Amino acid sequence: MAPFATAIERIHVSDQGSWGLSQFTRQDNNQLPLGQVVENAGLQRTLHQALEQQPSIEVIAASRVTALRPCAGGMQVVWQTPAGEHTDTASLVILADGADSPLRQSLGISVREVPYEQTALVANVRFSLPHGGCAF
């Protein structure tokens, strides 16, 4: 992933309008970077290539699982591709289709929501000047 990573050389921690701040540099970490920022597209590409190289893993692209049904030995998985509908069985199925998973709901798996009363903001940001290896 090295071509997609940038070392964090410095970290600046502050709260605008508040007194005080903390700064860390690689000198505080035995000259090692304080972390890495990895481009998401590069990370996904690298992980996908690693999956493709595993003989025990079959990657089925451009597909959508439409049904899961319990069966002897695990689950029957039904998925749709541009070529049509396919069915197979799996001893392990991991549902990772989001918080409002229709597959989870179809299996009658309930959720327990815990309101943390916090908000997260995720954004892609472009700067007019280089960041100089500093995380703020």
Side-chain angles (χ1 to χ4, degrees):
M1 280 189 263
F4 310 108
T6 302
I8 298 173
E9 307 287 335
R10 297 178 295 129
I11 298 177
H12 175 106
V13 181
S14 62
D15 185 5
Q16 185 176 2
S18 297
W19 183 85
L21 63 92
S22 295
Q23 294 189 47
F24 306 95
T25 67
R26 68 184 301 155
Q27 287 78 19
D28 299 314
N29 194 34
N30 296 319
Q31 300 301 323
L32 297 172
L34 298 167
Q36 299 283 332
V37 175
V38 180
E39 177 188 337
N40 189 39
L43 174 63
Q44 287 183 12
R45 195 167 30 254
T46 301
L47 292 174
H48 191 282
Q49 289 170 352
L51 280 174
E52 291 283 352
Q53 294 173 5
Q54 299 301 313
S56 61
I57 297 175
E58 179 184 1
V59 177
I60 304 170
S63 63
R64 184 176 63 88
V65 175
T66 56
L68 291 171
R69 298 182 192 101
C71 67
M75 297 292 281
Q76 179 186 54
V77 182
V78 181
W79 71 95
Q80 189 74 35
T81 69
E85 187 174 273
H86 307 271
T87 304
D88 205 347
T89 58
S91 58
L92 173 67
V93 174
I94 299 172
L95 295 176
D97 58 338
D100 294 323
S101 166
L103 294 170
R104 175 191 51 77
Q105 293 170 5
S106 73
L107 293 168
I109 300 172
S110 63
V111 297
R112 183 180 69 128
E113 295 184 27
V114 178
Y116 290 103
E117 298 181 17
Q118 296 181 1
T119 303
L121 174 65
V122 178
N124 292 320
V125 179
R126 293 186 192 270
F127 296 96
S128 58
L129 299 173
H131 55 69
C134 186
F136 292 90

